[in-house]
Amino acid sequence: MFSTDRNIETIGQLVEVLKHYIGLQGEYVKLDVIEKFVRLTTVLIMAAVLFLLIIITMIYFSFAAAFALAPHTGLGWAFSIVAVFYLLILILFVLFRKQWVERPLVKFLASLLMEK
């Protein structure tokens, strides 16, 4: 009574559509993962380049500051003053790493990876 040829054909079509849908969902997931990987890689490369440029700039500014202080304090003391300045920045960075680095980084990565 329930197993007419038309019902079997409809169920067969439904199974085929379902298989096609599952295949498309799998492709969508692959493309989404690839897109997020490319975006993350791009951000990491840009951050690395920016970090390298900042480091090089800071080295030159450090030498400039030390040589500018040298006539007033002597060359050894000038380099020591610059080193103490960087030590203070390091201590502040370690103390406030959650507020300055971890939280913004987590928010950024979450927005980058969760965005559709």
Side-chain angles (χ1 to χ4, degrees):
M1 177 168 149
F2 289 110
S3 62
T4 65
D5 288 339
R6 188 165 182 225
N7 287 344
I8 293 173
E9 184 180 316
T10 304
I11 291 173
Q13 288 174 347
L14 182 62
V15 168
E16 287 300 318
V17 169
L18 189 60
K19 284 181 184 178
H20 183 68
Y21 175 76
I22 291 172
L24 288 177
Q25 285 294 3
E27 290 295 318
Y28 174 75
V29 168
K30 287 179 193 175
L31 289 174
D32 193 43
V33 167
I34 289 170
E35 177 198 2
K36 289 179 181 181
F37 175 75
V38 168
R39 290 176 70 197
L40 185 60
T41 304
T42 303
V43 167
L44 289 175
I45 290 171
M46 291 298 293
V49 168
L50 182 64
F51 181 73
L52 181 65
L53 291 174
I54 288 173
I55 292 297
I56 291 170
T57 304
M58 292 305 296
I59 289 171
Y60 280 110
F61 279 135
S62 298
F63 278 110
F67 284 118
L69 288 173
H72 304 290
T73 61
L75 192 60
W77 281 107
F79 277 99
S80 297
I81 290 170
V82 171
V84 167
F85 174 74
Y86 282 119
L87 182 64
L88 290 174
I89 290 175
L90 175 68
I91 291 170
L92 286 173
F93 189 77
V94 169
L95 290 175
F96 294 106
R97 70 183 174 272
K98 286 194 186 285
Q99 294 95 325
W100 292 351
V101 178
E102 288 179 19
R103 287 183 189 147
L105 187 60
V106 167
K107 285 180 182 178
F108 173 73
L109 288 176
S111 70
L112 183 71
L113 296 175
M114 299 304 266
E115 185 178 287
K116 287 221 171 195

